[in-house]
Amino acid sequence: MSAAPPLQVVLVEDEEPLRDATMQALTLEGAEVTAFPDARAALGWLTADYPGVIVSDVRMPGMDGIAFFAALRAIDPDLPVILTTGHGDIAMAVAAMKDGAADFLTKPYSSADLFRAVRA
């Protein structure tokens, strides 16, 4: 019996300390994490057949997480996307969920909450 392949996660977070901490927490849970400091870099790397989950901050310089989410929907409408923000906005969260986001987490979130969302 072979082990299941590790969960793959693309993490897009512009704040380096938070990106590093989140990457470490997900890695400790057994996920394979590829991290990017901005949405454009992640879009340049992602393909339509990416088998994992995307975790993206909403408020980032350049392309924000909502525009990134829309671009991801154009690539693969079934790709699970979890949006995070330190500026919780209920209307934004509701709109993202209606548009198909897998989850919407408000910072600070616990590693357990993030991993639960990623695994769902």
Side-chain angles (χ1 to χ4, degrees):
M1 178 182 215
S2 63
L7 177 64
Q8 294 185 38
V9 178
V10 164
L11 173 65
V12 183
E13 172 60 60
D14 61 312
E15 295 179 36
E16 185 176 5
L18 182 55
R19 184 174 61 246
D20 291 347
T22 304
M23 188 171 165
Q24 181 180 23
L26 288 168
T27 300
L28 287 171
E29 290 291 342
E32 243 177 48
V33 184
T34 305
F36 296 93
D38 62 73
R40 293 199 190 283
L43 277 175
W45 183 85
L46 284 163
T47 61
D49 61 348
Y50 177 70
V53 177
I54 310 296
V55 177
S56 176
D57 189 12
V58 170
R59 298 200 184 214
M60 298 181 288
M63 176 184 275
D64 70 18
I66 300 300
F68 178 52
F69 178 54
L72 291 171
R73 282 284 165 263
I75 293 169
D76 179 356
D78 298 322
L79 186 62
V81 178
I82 299 165
L83 297 170
T84 67
T85 186
H87 309 278
D89 179 333
I90 293 172
M92 182 191 305
V94 169
M97 297 299 284
K98 282 184 178 178
D99 286 342
D103 211 333
F104 195 99
L105 302 175
T106 302
K107 298 174 188 176
Y109 49 81
S110 71
S111 296
D113 286 343
L114 176 61
F115 199 68
R116 199 172 306 115
V118 166
R119 278 278 183 217

